[in-house]
Amino acid sequence: KTVRIFNHQYPLIPFISTLLGIAILTMLGNWQLKRLEEKSRLISAIEQSMITPAQLVTADNIKNVEIFQKIKLEGSFIEGQNIFLYGKRSGTAEKDGYYILSPFIIDNQQDQENSEIILVSRGWIPQSMKAAIADGTLSLASSMQSIEAVVMPREKKPLFMPENDVERNIWFRIDPEFAVSTHNVTIGNVYFRQINASDLPDGMVPLNTSNLSKIRNDHLEYAISWYGLAVALIIMFLYYYHRK
């Protein structure tokens, strides 16, 4: 069986297969353009949020915050419950180190069982500082204070990443939902990135917003690749059968 197009006969099965391939490649290109638009809106929203003054949030409305919103919080860190998140950092004498995360009681509520407790990423330390912070020789501020933070989404676990090691207190990804069961955190769908902290011990690097909007957005290149493959498939099909 054949199909006739513009006075040319093409075998039906190869013709249908080629059309199917072109349709799939075009759909993939369209999907990448959609992702490009979504990612561009996200980057724009983050950039706008970073230049917007931080909004004061209390225990009453903490659950209404939005991803990448910049906020102010009043409360205190729970002493002795620091989490060590393994992570390398460039631009420092020591590349290996840990991000310190701590549970934070909003509004300094005394009754922890009925308080709103969030997980806050406070800063980065080199490997050499871990032992001193872990055994309490070097303490972090835990008194009542006001902090500025950015609301961050949960991190997805890559396929081959190991699980967080609770026994050794070494985490490999930020998982606020996991902290609900390990550190009495009450907000498990997001965590909070403290920015521009000024009360950190010497050697601890504060976090900021400089890299939050630096999200890879290569979807236009991917879309062009898929559309290019569709065009190449058309050319190969026509060349093969017209040559014959």
Side-chain angles (χ1 to χ4, degrees), residues 135-150:
D135 63 18
T137 303
L138 181 61
S139 61
L140 304 179
S142 59
S143 57
M144 180 70 175
Q145 58 183 291
S146 176
I147 67 171
E148 191 169 311
V150 177

Side-chain angles (χ1 to χ4, degrees), residues 44-168:
S44 177
I46 294 173
E47 291 175 343
Q48 181 61 39
S49 177
M50 295 307 101
I51 62 175
T52 302
Q55 178 183 356
L56 180 63
V57 173
T58 66
D60 295 329
N61 57 4
I62 185 63
K63 293 182 179 178
N64 298 327
V65 296
E66 299 180 355
I67 300 297
F68 296 113
Q69 180 181 352
K70 189 166 60 175
I71 63 175
K72 284 184 178 179
L73 295 162
E74 293 184 351
S76 59
F77 290 100
I78 301 177
E79 191 171 3
Q81 293 197 30
N82 299 312
I83 295 169
F84 296 88
L85 174 76
Y86 177 75
K88 294 179 180 292
R89 191 178 182 91
S90 60
T92 56
E94 292 183 54
K95 306 303 180 185
D96 282 319
Y98 299 89
Y99 290 91
I100 302 295
L101 295 98
S102 306
F104 183 86
I105 307 179
I106 301 176
D107 300 335
N108 205 30
Q109 298 161 307
Q110 298 300 315
D111 182 9
Q112 289 191 20
E113 291 186 1
N114 299 306
S115 302
E116 291 292 3
I117 302 176
I118 60 175
L119 186 64
V120 177
S121 179
R122 307 174 67 176
W124 182 89
I125 61 167
Q127 177 78 38
S128 58
M129 290 181 64
K130 180 179 184 295
I133 292 179
D135 63 18
T137 303
L138 181 61
S139 61
L140 304 179
S142 59
S143 57
M144 180 70 175
Q145 58 183 291
S146 176
I147 67 171
E148 191 169 311
V150 177
V151 184
M152 301 294 294
R154 292 175 55 193
E155 295 183 351
K156 295 181 179 180
K157 181 180 179 298
L159 183 60
F160 298 107
M161 177 177 285
E163 296 291 342
N164 292 333
D165 190 338
V166 179
E167 184 176 345
R168 294 194 301 152

